[in-house]
Amino acid sequence: MKSRKNLTRFTYETTAFQGWRLCLSRSGSTFTKYFSDKKYGGERKALKAATATLEEVKTTIDGSRKVNNKLSKTTTNKVHKLFKTAYN
């Protein structure tokens, strides 16, 4: 499968990790989360979880307020909490 905007596929044979990386930068903040094929039960399921999480993160960020043109601490905390509870 090809990479998509904000989602990159990692399939290196020499590493222990194979899966998807979500990386999103907005208003001076960068958010990154890895979705392992092994943890999510395959490449397609990991992609599905990454895509769903990406949509939630975008919704959270787009509906948030900014402080000095940067995301508020509350918003960044919400995104990190979303990452911790990402879909299984």
Side-chain angles (χ1 to χ4, degrees):
M1 292 185 168
K2 284 187 170 184
S3 295
R4 301 170 183 202
K5 187 171 184 171
N6 303 115
L7 295 173
T8 306
R9 178 75 187 152
F10 282 86
T11 55
Y12 302 117
E13 294 175 13
T14 58
T15 64
F17 178 79
Q18 290 191 353
W20 293 89
R21 180 188 71 171
L22 180 158
C23 187
L24 182 69
S25 294
R26 292 282 198 282
S27 303
S29 297
T30 301
F31 304 100
T32 305
K33 167 113 175 109
Y34 292 90
F35 295 84
S36 168
D37 292 349
K38 188 174 182 179
K39 179 180 177 185
Y40 289 92
E43 183 177 345
R44 291 184 192 277
K45 289 180 181 178
L47 175 60
K48 185 177 178 182
T51 303
T53 302
L54 176 61
E55 291 307 314
E56 274 195 68
V57 169
K58 283 182 178 179
T59 301
T60 301
I61 290 173
D62 292 342
S64 69
R65 68 183 185 93
K66 294 180 181 158
V67 178
N68 296 328
N69 288 327
K70 296 202 178 228
L71 294 174
S72 69
K73 186 72 171 168
T74 304
T75 302
T76 56
N77 288 341
K78 283 181 185 178
V79 172
H80 291 294
K81 189 174 181 179
L82 279 173
F83 282 172
K84 286 182 182 178
T85 61
Y87 298 96
N88 267 337

Coordinates of all heavy atoms in Angstrom, one line a residue:
M1 N 0.8 -1.2 0.0 CA 0.0 0.0 0.0 C 0.9 1.2 0.0 O 1.9 1.3 0.6 CB -0.9 0.0 1.2 CG -1.9 -1.0 1.3 SD -3.0 -0.8 2.7 CE -4.3 -1.9 2.3
K2 N 0.4 2.3 -0.7 CA 1.2 3.5 -0.8 C 0.9 4.4 0.5 O -0.1 4.3 1.1 CB 0.7 4.3 -2.0 CG 1.3 3.8 -3.3 CD 0.9 4.7 -4.4 CE 1.6 4.4 -5.6 NZ 1.4 5.3 -6.7
S3 N 1.9 5.3 0.7 CA 1.7 6.2 1.7 C 0.6 7.2 1.3 O 0.4 7.4 0.2 CB 3.0 7.0 2.0 OG 4.0 6.1 2.5
R4 N 0.0 7.9 2.3 CA -1.0 8.9 2.1 C -0.6 10.1 2.8 O 0.3 10.1 3.6 CB -2.3 8.4 2.6 CG -2.8 7.1 1.9 CD -3.9 6.5 2.6 NE -4.3 5.2 2.0 CZ -5.4 4.7 2.1 NH1 -6.4 5.2 2.8 NH2 -5.7 3.5 1.5
K5 N -1.3 11.2 2.6 CA -1.0 12.5 3.3 C -1.1 12.3 4.8 O -2.1 11.8 5.3 CB -1.9 13.6 2.8 CG -1.5 14.9 3.4 CD -2.3 16.0 2.8 CE -1.7 17.3 3.3 NZ -2.3 18.5 2.7
N6 N 0.0 12.6 5.5 CA 0.1 12.5 6.9 C 0.2 11.0 7.4 O 0.3 10.8 8.6 CB -1.1 13.1 7.7 CG -1.2 14.6 7.4 OD1 -2.2 15.0 6.8 ND2 -0.2 15.4 7.7
L7 N 0.2 10.0 6.5 CA 0.4 8.6 6.9 C 1.5 8.0 6.0 O 1.5 8.1 4.8 CB -0.9 7.8 6.7 CG -2.0 8.2 7.6 CD1 -3.3 7.4 7.1 CD2 -1.7 7.9 9.0
T8 N 2.5 7.4 6.6 CA 3.6 6.9 5.9 C 3.8 5.4 6.3 O 3.7 5.0 7.4 CB 5.0 7.6 6.3 OG1 4.8 9.0 6.1 CG2 6.1 7.1 5.5
R9 N 4.0 4.6 5.2 CA 4.1 3.1 5.4 C 5.6 2.8 5.7 O 6.5 3.2 5.0 CB 3.6 2.4 4.2 CG 3.8 0.9 4.2 CD 2.7 0.3 5.1 NE 3.0 -1.1 5.3 CZ 2.7 -1.9 6.3 NH1 2.1 -1.3 7.3 NH2 3.0 -3.1 6.3
F10 N 5.8 2.0 6.8 CA 7.2 1.5 7.1 C 7.2 0.0 6.9 O 6.4 -0.7 7.6 CB 7.5 1.8 8.5 CG 7.9 3.3 8.7 CD1 7.0 4.3 9.0 CD2 9.3 3.6 8.7 CE1 7.4 5.6 9.1 CE2 9.7 4.9 8.9 CZ 8.7 5.9 9.1
T11 N 8.0 -0.5 6.0 CA 8.1 -1.9 5.8 C 9.5 -2.3 5.6 O 9.9 -3.0 4.6 CB 7.3 -2.4 4.5 OG1 7.8 -1.6 3.4 CG2 5.8 -2.2 4.7
Y12 N 10.4 -1.9 6.5 CA 11.8 -2.3 6.4 C 12.0 -3.7 6.9 O 11.6 -4.0 8.0 CB 12.6 -1.3 7.2 CG 12.4 0.2 6.7 CD1 11.9 1.1 7.6 CD2 12.8 0.6 5.5 CE1 11.7 2.4 7.2 CE2 12.6 1.9 5.0 CZ 12.1 2.8 5.9 OH 11.9 4.1 5.5
E13 N 12.7 -4.5 6.1 CA 12.9 -5.9 6.5 C 13.9 -6.0 7.7 O 13.9 -7.0 8.4 CB 13.4 -6.7 5.3 CG 12.3 -6.8 4.2 CD 12.9 -7.5 3.0 OE1 14.0 -8.0 3.0 OE2 12.2 -7.4 1.9
T14 N 14.8 -5.0 7.8 CA 15.8 -5.1 8.8 C 15.4 -4.5 10.2 O 16.2 -4.6 11.1 CB 17.1 -4.4 8.3 OG1 16.7 -3.0 8.0 CG2 17.7 -5.0 7.0
T15 N 14.2 -4.0 10.3 CA 13.8 -3.5 11.6 C 12.7 -4.3 12.2 O 12.0 -5.1 11.5 CB 13.3 -2.0 11.4 OG1 12.1 -2.0 10.6 CG2 14.3 -1.1 10.8
A16 N 12.5 -4.1 13.4 CA 11.4 -4.9 14.1 C 10.0 -4.3 13.8 O 9.0 -4.9 14.1 CB 11.7 -4.9 15.6
F17 N 10.0 -3.0 13.3 CA 8.7 -2.3 13.2 C 8.3 -2.4 11.7 O 9.0 -2.1 10.8 CB 8.8 -0.8 13.6 CG 7.5 -0.1 13.3 CD1 6.5 -0.2 14.2 CD2 7.4 0.7 12.2 CE1 5.3 0.5 14.0 CE2 6.2 1.4 12.0 CZ 5.2 1.3 12.9
Q18 N 7.0 -2.8 11.5 CA 6.3 -2.7 10.3 C 5.0 -2.2 10.5 O 4.2 -2.7 11.4 CB 6.3 -4.0 9.5 CG 7.6 -4.5 9.1 CD 7.5 -5.7 8.1 OE1 6.5 -6.3 8.0 NE2 8.6 -6.1 7.6
G19 N 4.6 -1.1 9.9 CA 3.3 -0.5 10.1 C 3.2 0.9 9.5 O 3.9 1.2 8.6
W20 N 2.3 1.7 10.1 CA 2.0 3.0 9.6 C 2.5 4.1 10.7 O 2.3 3.9 11.8 CB 0.6 3.2 9.3 CG 0.1 2.4 8.2 CD1 -0.4 1.1 8.3 CD2 0.1 2.7 6.8 NE1 -0.7 0.6 7.0 CE2 -0.4 1.6 6.1 CE3 0.4 3.9 6.1 CZ2 -0.5 1.7 4.7 CZ3 0.3 3.9 4.8 CH2 -0.2 2.8 4.1
R21 N 3.0 5.2 10.2 CA 3.3 6.3 11.0 C 2.4 7.5 10.7 O 2.3 7.9 9.5 CB 4.8 6.8 10.8 CG 5.1 7.9 11.8 CD 6.5 8.5 11.4 NE 6.3 9.2 10.1 CZ 7.3 10.0 9.6 NH1 8.4 10.1 10.2 NH2 7.1 10.6 8.5
L22 N 1.7 8.0 11.7 CA 0.9 9.2 11.5 C 1.7 10.4 12.0 O 2.3 10.3 13.1 CB -0.4 9.1 12.4 CG -1.4 10.2 12.4 CD1 -2.7 9.6 12.9 CD2 -1.0 11.4 13.3
C23 N 1.9 11.4 11.1 CA 2.6 12.6 11.5 C 1.9 13.8 11.0 O 1.6 13.9 9.8 CB 4.0 12.5 10.9 SG 5.1 13.9 11.5
L24 N 1.5 14.7 11.9 CA 0.7 15.8 11.6 C 1.3 17.1 12.3 O 1.6 17.0 13.5 CB -0.7 15.6 12.0 CG -1.7 16.7 11.7 CD1 -2.0 16.8 10.2 CD2 -3.0 16.4 12.4
S25 N 1.6 18.1 11.5 CA 2.1 19.4 12.0 C 1.1 20.5 11.8 O 0.6 20.7 10.7 CB 3.4 19.8 11.4 OG 4.4 18.8 11.7
R26 N 0.8 21.2 12.9 CA -0.2 22.3 12.8 C 0.3 23.3 13.9 O 0.6 23.0 15.0 CB -1.6 21.9 13.2 CG -2.3 21.0 12.2 CD -2.8 21.8 11.0 NE -3.7 21.1 10.2 CZ -3.5 20.1 9.3 NH1 -2.3 19.7 9.2 NH2 -4.5 19.5 8.6
S27 N 0.3 24.6 13.4 CA 0.5 25.7 14.3 C 1.7 25.6 15.3 O 1.6 25.8 16.4 CB -0.8 26.0 15.1 OG -1.8 26.3 14.3
G28 N 2.8 25.1 14.7 CA 4.0 25.0 15.5 C 4.1 23.7 16.4 O 5.1 23.5 17.1
S29 N 3.1 22.8 16.3 CA 3.2 21.5 17.0 C 3.2 20.4 16.0 O 2.5 20.4 15.0 CB 2.0 21.4 17.9 OG 1.9 22.4 18.9
T30 N 4.0 19.4 16.4 CA 4.0 18.1 15.5 C 3.6 17.0 16.4 O 4.0 16.8 17.5 CB 5.4 17.9 15.0 OG1 5.8 19.0 14.2 CG2 5.5 16.7 14.1
F31 N 2.7 16.1 15.8 CA 2.2 15.0 16.5 C 2.5 13.7 15.7 O 2.3 13.7 14.5 CB 0.7 15.1 16.7 CG 0.2 16.3 17.4 CD1 -0.2 17.4 16.7 CD2 0.3 16.4 18.8 CE1 -0.6 18.6 17.3 CE2 -0.1 17.6 19.4 CZ -0.6 18.7 18.7
T32 N 3.1 12.7 16.4 CA 3.5 11.5 15.7 C 3.1 10.3 16.5 O 3.2 10.3 17.7 CB 5.0 11.5 15.5 OG1 5.5 12.6 14.9 CG2 5.5 10.2 14.8
K33 N 2.5 9.3 15.8 CA 2.1 8.0 16.4 C 2.4 6.9 15.4 O 2.1 7.1 14.3 CB 0.6 8.1 16.8 CG 0.0 6.8 17.2 CD -0.4 6.7 18.6 CE -1.1 5.4 19.0 NZ -0.3 4.5 19.8
Y34 N 2.8 5.8 15.9 CA 3.1 4.6 15.1 C 2.0 3.6 15.3 O 1.5 3.4 16.5 CB 4.4 4.0 15.5 CG 5.6 4.9 15.1 CD1 6.1 5.9 15.9 CD2 6.1 4.8 13.8 CE1 7.1 6.7 15.6 CE2 7.2 5.7 13.4 CZ 7.7 6.6 14.3 OH 8.7 7.4 13.9
F35 N 1.5 2.9 14.3 CA 0.5 1.9 14.3 C 1.1 0.6 13.7 O 1.3 0.5 12.5 CB -0.7 2.3 13.5 CG -1.4 3.5 14.1 CD1 -1.0 4.8 13.8 CD2 -2.5 3.3 14.9 CE1 -1.6 5.9 14.4 CE2 -3.1 4.4 15.5 CZ -2.7 5.7 15.2
S36 N 1.5 -0.3 14.6 CA 2.2 -1.5 14.2 C 1.2 -2.5 13.6 O 0.1 -2.7 14.1 CB 2.8 -2.1 15.4 OG 3.3 -3.4 15.2
D37 N 1.6 -3.2 12.5 CA 0.9 -4.3 11.9 C 0.6 -5.4 12.9 O -0.5 -5.9 13.0 CB 1.6 -4.9 10.7 CG 1.7 -3.9 9.5 OD1 1.0 -2.9 9.6 OD2 2.4 -4.2 8.6
K38 N 1.6 -5.7 13.7 CA 1.5 -6.7 14.7 C 0.5 -6.4 15.8 O -0.3 -7.3 16.1 CB 2.9 -7.0 15.3 CG 3.0 -8.2 16.2 CD 4.4 -8.4 16.7 CE 4.6 -9.6 17.5 NZ 5.9 -9.8 18.0
K39 N 0.5 -5.2 16.3 CA -0.4 -4.8 17.4 C -1.9 -4.8 16.9 O -2.8 -5.2 17.6 CB 0.0 -3.5 17.9 CG -1.0 -3.0 19.0 CD -0.6 -1.7 19.6 CE -1.6 -1.2 20.6 NZ -1.3 0.1 21.1
Y40 N -2.1 -4.3 15.7 CA -3.4 -4.1 15.1 C -3.9 -5.2 14.3 O -5.0 -5.2 13.8 CB -3.5 -2.8 14.4 CG -3.4 -1.6 15.3 CD1 -2.2 -1.0 15.6 CD2 -4.5 -1.1 15.9 CE1 -2.1 0.1 16.4 CE2 -4.4 0.0 16.8 CZ -3.2 0.6 17.1 OH -3.1 1.6 17.9
G41 N -3.1 -6.3 14.1 CA -3.6 -7.5 13.4 C -3.5 -7.5 11.9 O -4.3 -8.1 11.2
G42 N -2.6 -6.7 11.4 CA -2.3 -6.7 10.0 C -2.2 -5.3 9.4 O -2.6 -4.3 10.1
E43 N -1.8 -5.2 8.2 CA -1.5 -4.0 7.5 C -2.8 -3.1 7.3 O -2.8 -1.9 7.6 CB -0.9 -4.2 6.1 CG -0.5 -3.0 5.4 CD 0.2 -3.3 4.1 OE1 0.6 -4.5 3.9 OE2 0.3 -2.4 3.2
R44 N -3.9 -3.8 6.9 CA -5.1 -3.0 6.6 C -5.8 -2.5 7.9 O -6.3 -1.4 8.0 CB -6.1 -3.9 5.9 CG -5.7 -4.2 4.5 CD -6.7 -4.9 3.7 NE -6.2 -5.4 2.4 CZ -6.2 -4.7 1.3 NH1 -6.6 -3.5 1.3 NH2 -5.7 -5.3 0.2
K45 N -5.7 -3.3 9.0 CA -6.3 -2.9 10.3 C -5.5 -1.8 10.9 O -6.1 -0.9 11.5 CB -6.4 -4.1 11.2 CG -7.5 -5.1 10.8 CD -7.5 -6.3 11.8 CE -8.6 -7.3 11.3 NZ -8.7 -8.4 12.2
A46 N -4.2 -1.9 10.7 CA -3.3 -0.8 11.3 C -3.6 0.5 10.5 O -3.7 1.6 11.1 CB -1.8 -1.1 11.1
L47 N -3.8 0.4 9.2 CA -4.1 1.6 8.4 C -5.5 2.2 8.8 O -5.7 3.4 8.9 CB -4.1 1.2 6.9 CG -4.6 2.4 5.9 CD1 -3.7 3.6 6.1 CD2 -4.6 1.9 4.5
K48 N -6.4 1.3 9.0 CA -7.8 1.7 9.4 C -7.7 2.5 10.7 O -8.3 3.5 10.9 CB -8.7 0.5 9.5 CG -10.1 0.9 9.8 CD -11.0 -0.4 9.9 CE -12.4 0.0 10.2 NZ -13.3 -1.2 10.3
A49 N -6.9 2.0 11.7 CA -6.8 2.6 13.0 C -6.1 4.0 12.8 O -6.5 5.0 13.5 CB -6.0 1.7 14.0
A50 N -5.0 4.0 12.0 CA -4.3 5.2 11.8 C -5.2 6.3 11.1 O -5.2 7.5 11.5 CB -3.1 5.0 10.9
T51 N -6.0 5.9 10.1 CA -6.8 6.8 9.4 C -7.9 7.4 10.4 O -8.2 8.6 10.4 CB -7.5 6.1 8.2 OG1 -6.5 5.6 7.4 CG2 -8.4 7.1 7.5
A52 N -8.5 6.5 11.2 CA -9.5 7.0 12.1 C -8.9 7.9 13.2 O -9.6 9.0 13.5 CB -10.2 5.8 12.8
T53 N -7.8 7.6 13.7 CA -7.1 8.5 14.6 C -6.7 9.8 14.0 O -6.9 10.9 14.6 CB -5.8 7.8 15.2 OG1 -6.2 6.6 15.8 CG2 -5.2 8.7 16.3
L54 N -6.3 9.8 12.7 CA -5.9 11.0 12.0 C -7.1 11.9 11.9 O -7.0 13.1 12.1 CB -5.3 10.7 10.6 CG -5.0 11.9 9.7 CD1 -4.0 12.8 10.4 CD2 -4.6 11.4 8.4
E55 N -8.3 11.4 11.6 CA -9.5 12.2 11.4 C -9.9 12.8 12.8 O -10.3 14.0 12.8 CB -10.6 11.3 10.8 CG -10.4 11.0 9.4 CD -10.1 12.1 8.5 OE1 -10.8 13.2 8.6 OE2 -9.2 12.0 7.7
E56 N -9.8 12.0 13.8 CA -10.1 12.6 15.2 C -9.2 13.7 15.6 O -9.6 14.7 16.1 CB -10.0 11.5 16.2 CG -11.3 10.7 16.4 CD -11.3 9.9 17.6 OE1 -11.3 10.4 18.7 OE2 -11.2 8.6 17.5
V57 N -7.9 13.5 15.3 CA -6.9 14.5 15.6 C -7.2 15.8 14.8 O -7.1 16.9 15.3 CB -5.4 14.0 15.3 CG1 -4.4 15.1 15.4 CG2 -5.1 12.9 16.3
K58 N -7.4 15.7 13.5 CA -7.7 16.8 12.7 C -9.0 17.6 13.2 O -9.0 18.8 13.3 CB -8.0 16.4 11.2 CG -6.7 16.1 10.5 CD -7.1 15.8 9.0 CE -5.9 15.5 8.2 NZ -6.2 15.2 6.8
T59 N -10.0 16.8 13.6 CA -11.2 17.4 14.1 C -10.9 18.2 15.4 O -11.4 19.3 15.6 CB -12.3 16.4 14.4 OG1 -12.6 15.7 13.2 CG2 -13.6 17.0 14.9
T60 N -10.1 17.6 16.3 CA -9.8 18.2 17.5 C -9.0 19.5 17.3 O -9.2 20.5 17.9 CB -8.9 17.2 18.4 OG1 -9.7 16.1 18.7 CG2 -8.5 17.9 19.7
I61 N -8.0 19.4 16.4 CA -7.1 20.6 16.2 C -7.9 21.7 15.5 O -7.8 22.9 15.8 CB -5.9 20.2 15.3 CG1 -5.0 19.3 16.2 CG2 -5.2 21.4 14.8 CD1 -3.8 18.7 15.5
D62 N -8.7 21.3 14.5 CA -9.4 22.4 13.7 C -10.5 23.1 14.5 O -10.7 24.2 14.3 CB -10.1 21.7 12.5 CG -9.1 21.3 11.4 OD1 -7.9 21.7 11.5 OD2 -9.4 20.5 10.6
G63 N -11.0 22.4 15.6 CA -12.0 23.1 16.4 C -11.4 23.7 17.6 O -12.2 24.2 18.5
S64 N -10.1 23.8 17.7 CA -9.5 24.4 18.9 C -9.1 25.9 18.8 O -9.1 26.4 17.7 CB -8.2 23.6 19.2 OG -7.2 23.9 18.2
R65 N -8.9 26.4 19.9 CA -8.4 27.8 19.9 C -6.9 27.9 19.9 O -6.2 26.9 20.3 CB -9.0 28.6 21.1 CG -8.5 28.2 22.4 CD -9.2 29.0 23.6 NE -8.6 28.7 24.8 CZ -7.7 29.4 25.4 NH1 -7.2 30.4 24.8 NH2 -7.2 29.0 26.6
K66 N -6.4 29.0 19.5 CA -4.9 29.2 19.5 C -4.6 30.3 20.5 O -5.3 31.2 20.7 CB -4.5 29.5 18.1 CG -4.7 28.4 17.1 CD -4.3 28.7 15.8 CE -4.6 27.5 14.9 NZ -4.7 27.8 13.5
V67 N -3.4 30.2 21.0 CA -2.8 31.2 21.9 C -1.5 31.6 21.3 O -0.6 30.8 21.0 CB -2.5 30.6 23.3 CG1 -1.9 31.6 24.2 CG2 -3.8 30.0 23.9
N68 N -1.4 32.9 20.9 CA -0.2 33.4 20.2 C 0.1 32.6 18.9 O 1.2 32.3 18.7 CB 1.0 33.5 21.1 CG 0.8 34.4 22.3 OD1 0.1 35.4 22.1 ND2 1.3 34.1 23.4
N69 N -1.0 32.3 18.2 CA -0.9 31.5 16.9 C -0.3 30.1 17.1 O 0.2 29.5 16.2 CB 0.0 32.3 15.9 CG -0.8 33.5 15.3 OD1 -2.0 33.4 15.2 ND2 -0.1 34.5 15.0
K70 N -0.4 29.6 18.3 CA 0.0 28.2 18.5 C -1.1 27.5 19.2 O -2.0 28.1 19.8 CB 1.3 28.2 19.5 CG 2.5 28.8 18.8 CD 3.7 28.3 19.5 CE 4.9 29.0 18.8 NZ 5.9 28.1 18.4
L71 N -1.1 26.2 19.1 CA -2.2 25.4 19.7 C -2.1 25.5 21.2 O -1.0 25.6 21.8 CB -2.1 23.9 19.3 CG -2.3 23.6 17.8 CD1 -2.0 22.1 17.6 CD2 -3.7 23.9 17.4
S72 N -3.2 25.5 21.9 CA -3.2 25.7 23.3 C -2.7 24.4 24.0 O -2.8 23.3 23.4 CB -4.6 26.0 23.8 OG -5.5 24.9 23.6
K73 N -2.3 24.5 25.2 CA -1.8 23.3 25.9 C -2.9 22.3 26.1 O -2.7 21.1 26.0 CB -1.3 23.7 27.3 CG -0.6 22.7 28.1 CD 0.7 22.3 27.5 CE 1.4 21.4 28.5 NZ 2.6 20.8 27.8
T74 N -4.1 22.7 26.3 CA -5.3 21.8 26.4 C -5.5 21.0 25.1 O -5.7 19.8 25.2 CB -6.6 22.7 26.7 OG1 -6.4 23.4 27.8 CG2 -7.8 21.8 26.9
T75 N -5.3 21.6 24.0 CA -5.5 20.9 22.7 C -4.4 19.9 22.5 O -4.7 18.8 22.1 CB -5.5 21.9 21.5 OG1 -6.5 22.9 21.7 CG2 -5.6 21.2 20.2
T76 N -3.1 20.2 22.8 CA -2.1 19.3 22.7 C -2.2 18.1 23.6 O -2.0 17.0 23.3 CB -0.7 19.9 22.9 OG1 -0.6 20.5 24.1 CG2 -0.4 20.9 21.8
N77 N -2.7 18.4 24.8 CA -3.0 17.3 25.8 C -4.1 16.4 25.3 O -4.1 15.2 25.4 CB -3.4 17.9 27.1 CG -2.2 18.4 27.9 OD1 -1.0 18.1 27.5 ND2 -2.4 19.3 28.8
K78 N -5.2 17.0 24.6 CA -6.2 16.2 24.1 C -5.7 15.2 23.0 O -6.1 14.1 22.9 CB -7.3 17.1 23.5 CG -8.2 17.7 24.5 CD -9.3 18.5 23.8 CE -10.2 19.3 24.8 NZ -11.2 20.1 24.2
V79 N -4.8 15.7 22.1 CA -4.3 14.9 21.0 C -3.5 13.8 21.6 O -3.6 12.6 21.2 CB -3.5 15.8 20.1 CG1 -2.7 14.9 19.1 CG2 -4.4 16.8 19.3
H80 N -2.6 14.1 22.6 CA -1.8 13.0 23.2 C -2.7 12.0 23.9 O -2.4 10.8 23.9 CB -0.8 13.6 24.2 CG 0.3 14.4 23.5 ND1 1.2 13.8 22.7 CD2 0.5 15.7 23.6 CE1 2.0 14.8 22.2 NE2 1.6 15.9 22.7
K81 N -3.8 12.4 24.5 CA -4.7 11.5 25.1 C -5.4 10.6 24.0 O -5.6 9.4 24.2 CB -5.8 12.2 25.9 CG -6.7 11.3 26.7 CD -7.6 12.1 27.6 CE -8.5 11.2 28.4 NZ -9.4 11.9 29.3
L82 N -5.7 11.2 22.9 CA -6.3 10.4 21.7 C -5.3 9.3 21.3 O -5.7 8.2 21.0 CB -6.6 11.3 20.5 CG -7.8 12.1 20.5 CD1 -7.9 13.1 19.4 CD2 -9.0 11.2 20.5
F83 N -4.0 9.7 21.2 CA -3.0 8.7 20.8 C -2.9 7.6 21.8 O -2.7 6.4 21.4 CB -1.6 9.4 20.7 CG -1.4 10.2 19.5 CD1 -0.3 11.0 19.3 CD2 -2.4 10.2 18.4 CE1 -0.1 11.7 18.1 CE2 -2.2 10.9 17.3 CZ -1.0 11.7 17.1
K84 N -3.0 7.8 23.1 CA -2.9 6.8 24.1 C -4.1 5.8 24.0 O -4.0 4.6 24.3 CB -2.9 7.4 25.5 CG -1.6 8.0 25.8 CD -1.5 8.5 27.3 CE -0.2 9.2 27.6 NZ -0.2 9.8 28.9
T85 N -5.3 6.3 23.6 CA -6.5 5.5 23.5 C -6.8 5.1 22.1 O -8.0 4.9 21.7 CB -7.7 6.2 24.1 OG1 -7.9 7.4 23.5 CG2 -7.4 6.4 25.6
A86 N -5.8 5.2 21.2 CA -6.0 4.9 19.7 C -6.7 3.5 19.6 O -6.5 2.6 20.4 CB -4.7 4.9 19.0
Y87 N -7.5 3.4 18.5 CA -8.3 2.2 18.2 C -7.5 0.9 18.2 O -6.4 0.9 17.7 CB -9.0 2.4 16.9 CG -9.9 3.6 16.9 CD1 -9.5 4.8 16.4 CD2 -11.2 3.5 17.3 CE1 -10.3 5.9 16.4 CE2 -12.0 4.6 17.3 CZ -11.6 5.8 16.8 OH -12.4 6.8 16.8
N88 N -8.1 -0.1 18.7 CA -7.5 -1.4 18.7 C -8.3 -2.3 17.8 O -9.4 -2.3 17.7 CB -7.4 -2.1 20.1 CG -6.1 -1.8 20.7 OD1 -5.1 -1.6 20.0 ND2 -6.1 -1.8 22.0

